[in-house]
Amino acid sequence: MKTVAIVGRPNVGKSALFNALAGKNISIVHDMAGVTRDRITAECRRGPEVFEIMDTGGIGAKTEDVLTEQVQVEAAIALDVADLLLFVVDVVEGINPVDHELSLVLRRTQKPVVLVCNKADSTKRRMGSSEFTKLGFPDQLEVSAVHGLGIKELVEMLSQRLELSAESAEERVAYEAIRPMKIAVVGRPNAGKSSLVNAILNQDRTIVSEVAGTTRDSMDIHCRYNGKNYQLIDTAGIRRRARVDTPVEVFSVQQAMKSIKRADLCLLVVDCAAGAKMQDRKIAQLILESKKPCILVMNKYDLFHPTAQQKERIEHLDEIMRREFFFIHYAPLVAISAKEKQHIGKLFKAIEAVREGAHNRIGTGSLNRLLQHAIENTPGPLGRSAYAFKLLYVTQVNDKDDRAVPVPHFVLFANRAAKLTDSYLRHLESVIRSEWPAEGVPFIMSVRGKQPKNARKK
Ligand code: GDP
């Protein structure tokens, strides 16, 4: 869904405009930590297509931060998440220095801006709006948010500018069927990579074509499984190994790294009968550091305590391997036997579950509620003191690149951001995961914000 951010200095009527656009679809964010205001996002359903509106007004208004700080925070948010900026000014008050300052920042974003002259309740007041052409935004119109004047025209203009015909869920599914997911099959020598690749290719539901890569030693294999396209990447070495059954494969970190970098998803093949080794953990570390989606493929499951009871066997495996790979906590385990071609279908189910989870989204309202709650319950470093970091707003950034398995990216806007420790950030990540498990997918958590000058004096 596209997002329109409503920006403007205090008292120009941003909330009224937000209400007028949202109608009954307002999502309330309760004011937990005393730093957010009541409403953040809502869906505007008044036009031909639904879009999200984001009321940036009042962020930081309840703290003692000065106005320019607020301008910066608003601009930062608008800059990051919105597809279009709705810049609200007040025709009664006329142009104010903050309007000038804001228009400069908004222009710098290079995003489309619609200038809305609010409080144009009468003809006389509407005349006053001509002054605002000085701000230099070609899309300008007059409204009265309180009296509902000009709202219909505004929605029409927003819809046009957003070109809201954009992708529907069905289109995405259709697109996915064409665009292959790039899968890297990685692991230490003898783990069973080539056996797995062969098992995948020999399944009767796969259609295969080999595509030589750009370099001599890279080879991608396109295959189709259950109606979906996949691209097994950098398989040259792996396939060669399969043809000539020699036990020599030099473990190369560079080779693994190259494949991981190109991948949408990594299958880390582990010989679970032999147990996890240093090299396995090393590759897992590379995947983690590259922020890549991952599944831990427990291969040679047929050799793992074969006589034990099925239920105990899998629990035992899970327990051991969770411990070995604790650091790559988001990756699910799937037990297979490549040689016996067992559970290949299950593996593809897991692959598709990862893709599905990665495409979900938590609404901005719920996300803010969730983290404010969590911070309220378990305050971060320095607790609730005036020196502690304060979360102003959190949002999931729209992924501009169209990866088959998008990696969710959360941006936290905070005061005293420097006070936010890594471990507390990981705690907040786990809070998001509790609502949205997204198995197999790493989260990127970034923090924006600065140390207000007056923080130490408080
Ligand atoms: P690679 O070096 O990772 O490509 O490993 P290979 O696919 O060449 O497998 C190494 C050895 O393990 C070969 O002898 C395979 O037959 C054997 N192997 C692979 N997968 C399995 C499995 O699931 N079960 C058993 N029992 N052996 C396997």
Side-chain angles (χ1 to χ4, degrees):
M1 203 187 306
K2 301 250 171 132
T3 304
V4 173
I6 304 180
V7 281
R9 59 185 179 80
N11 285 326
V12 292
K14 292 191 295 295
S15 299
L17 187 60
F18 184 89
N19 289 341
L21 288 171
K24 295 197 185 74
N25 304 305
I26 297 175
S27 78
I28 308 280
V29 171
H30 291 290
D31 193 355
M32 295 297 177
V35 287
T36 57
R37 64 278 142 51
D38 288 342
R39 286 180 302 272
I40 288 181
T41 62
E43 287 177 1
C44 176
R45 297 175 172 275
R46 304 187 60 140
E49 302 259 1
V50 182
F51 55 87
E52 188 174 60
I53 46 176
M54 209 170 76
D55 175 9
T56 64
I59 286 177
K62 286 179 191 164
T63 67
E64 295 164 60
D65 306 337
V66 287
L67 206 57
T68 51
E69 174 114 3
Q70 186 193 338
V71 169
Q72 280 168 10
V73 171
E74 289 194 11
I77 292 167
L79 189 105
D80 269 56
V81 293
D83 300 290
L84 186 149
L85 310 174
L86 204 163
F87 181 18
V88 191
V89 291
D90 180 339
V91 287
V92 181
E93 296 257 319
I95 295 191
N96 173 297
V98 182
D99 294 333
H100 278 294
E101 198 178 332
L102 258 173
S103 59
L104 287 178
V105 193
L106 298 187
R107 212 185 310 281
R108 233 174 278 140
T109 66
Q110 298 191 331
K111 298 199 177 193
V113 175
V114 171
L115 180 68
V116 175
C117 303
N118 190 30
K119 309 193 189 174
D121 309 346
S122 64
T123 316
K124 183 162 165 267
R125 285 184 170 190
R126 268 196 294 280
M127 304 284 277
S129 74
S130 61
E131 174 192 5
F132 289 94
T133 53
K134 278 189 218 156
L135 295 176
F137 295 104
D139 289 327
Q140 175 174 340
L141 79 181
E142 295 80 47
V143 304
S144 167
V146 171
H147 295 101
L149 303 173
I151 300 301
K152 194 163 157 266
E153 291 75 9
L154 174 60
V155 172
E156 264 165 31
M157 182 182 275
L158 294 177
S159 303
Q160 258 177 24
R161 294 296 178 270
L162 286 170
E163 288 167 20
L164 286 165
S165 61
E167 67 170 288
S168 66
E170 278 164 39
E171 280 168 357
R172 177 167 75 70
V173 171
Y175 184 44
E176 262 155 30
I178 315 162
R179 173 183 52 177
M181 183 198 295
K182 292 194 197 125
I183 298 179
V185 179
V186 288
R188 64 188 171 81
N190 254 13
K193 297 181 296 299
S194 43
S195 304
L196 174 59
V197 170
N198 285 329
I200 292 173
L201 303 185
N202 290 344
Q203 295 273 310
D204 37 0
R205 273 170 303 179
T206 31
I207 304 165
V208 186
S209 73
E210 291 193 2
V211 180
T214 43
T215 60
R216 196 145 35 91
D217 60 3
S218 102
M219 166 77 81
D220 288 359
I221 299 172
H222 285 262
C223 65
R224 213 171 146 71
Y225 193 89
N226 275 350
K228 296 239 161 70
N229 290 320
Y230 303 93
Q231 187 173 346
L232 304 176
I233 63 173
D234 293 332
T235 50
I238 298 175
R239 295 223 87 197
R240 218 178 293 130
R241 168 85 179 81
R243 286 190 203 114
V244 191
D245 201 15
T246 57
V248 275
E249 178 199 343
V250 186
F251 172 67
S252 151
V253 174
Q254 275 104 330
Q255 186 56 44
M257 198 58 221
K258 238 175 67 191
S259 306
I260 292 167
K261 275 232 165 77
R262 288 183 59 208
D264 292 318
L265 173 80
C266 301
L267 297 182
L268 173 52
V269 183
V270 178
D271 179 343
C272 69
K277 302 278 194 292
M278 260 296 281
Q279 284 183 349
D280 298 312
R281 285 189 292 268
K282 173 83 196 159
I283 302 171
Q285 190 67 36
L286 293 178
I287 297 171
L288 179 76
E289 283 163 10
S290 312
K291 291 276 178 196
K292 290 291 178 169
C294 177
I295 294 176
L296 298 169
V297 181
M298 297 295 131
N299 190 33
K300 309 196 189 180
Y301 186 56
D302 54 307
L303 302 179
F304 182 84
H305 302 284
T307 53
Q309 289 248 310
Q310 181 59 16
K311 189 165 168 283
E312 280 153 25
R313 226 175 130 210
I314 197 79
E315 279 173 5
H316 185 41
L317 177 72
D318 201 74
E319 191 196 319
I320 297 172
M321 292 301 177
R322 281 271 148 242
R323 208 181 317 129
E324 296 282 3
F325 293 100
F326 73 93
F327 54 94
I328 187 156
H329 58 90
Y330 59 84
L333 295 184
V334 178
I336 66 158
S337 172
K339 193 177 162 199
E340 310 293 333
K341 299 190 176 49
Q342 275 170 3
H343 306 307
I344 304 300
K346 203 173 76 183
L347 177 59
F348 273 92
K349 260 202 191 129
I351 291 171
E352 282 310 313
V354 171
R355 163 151 47 195
E356 197 55 44
H359 275 106
N360 285 337
R361 263 191 99 113
I362 307 189
T364 315
S366 316
L367 187 61
N368 278 275
R369 251 189 320 268
L370 183 70
L371 287 198
Q372 295 293 5
H373 252 302
I375 292 167
E376 189 71 351
N377 290 341
T378 315
L382 302 174
R384 296 183 173 84
S385 81
Y387 302 103
F389 107 99
K390 286 225 162 35
L391 180 68
L392 300 174
Y393 189 77
V394 53
T395 188
Q396 189 182 346
V397 183
N398 283 325
D399 230 341
K400 291 287 182 291
D401 64 339
D402 55 349
R403 273 182 278 187
V405 185
V407 174
H409 182 180
F410 299 96
V411 181
L412 285 75
F413 295 91
N415 274 346
R416 290 170 290 279
K419 297 281 163 53
L420 191 60
T421 57
D422 282 349
S423 69
Y424 195 66
L425 198 57
R426 277 198 298 277
H427 163 67
L428 295 182
E429 178 185 338
S430 71
V431 168
I432 300 177
R433 264 183 204 283
S434 66
E435 268 315 283
W436 174 16
E439 263 206 323
V441 186
F443 287 170
I444 299 172
M445 307 280 288
S446 34
V447 185
R448 309 270 163 83
K450 60 179 196 116
Q451 192 87 352
K453 286 178 209 78
N454 56 356
R456 250 155 269 113
K457 287 184 233 135
K458 274 186 200 163

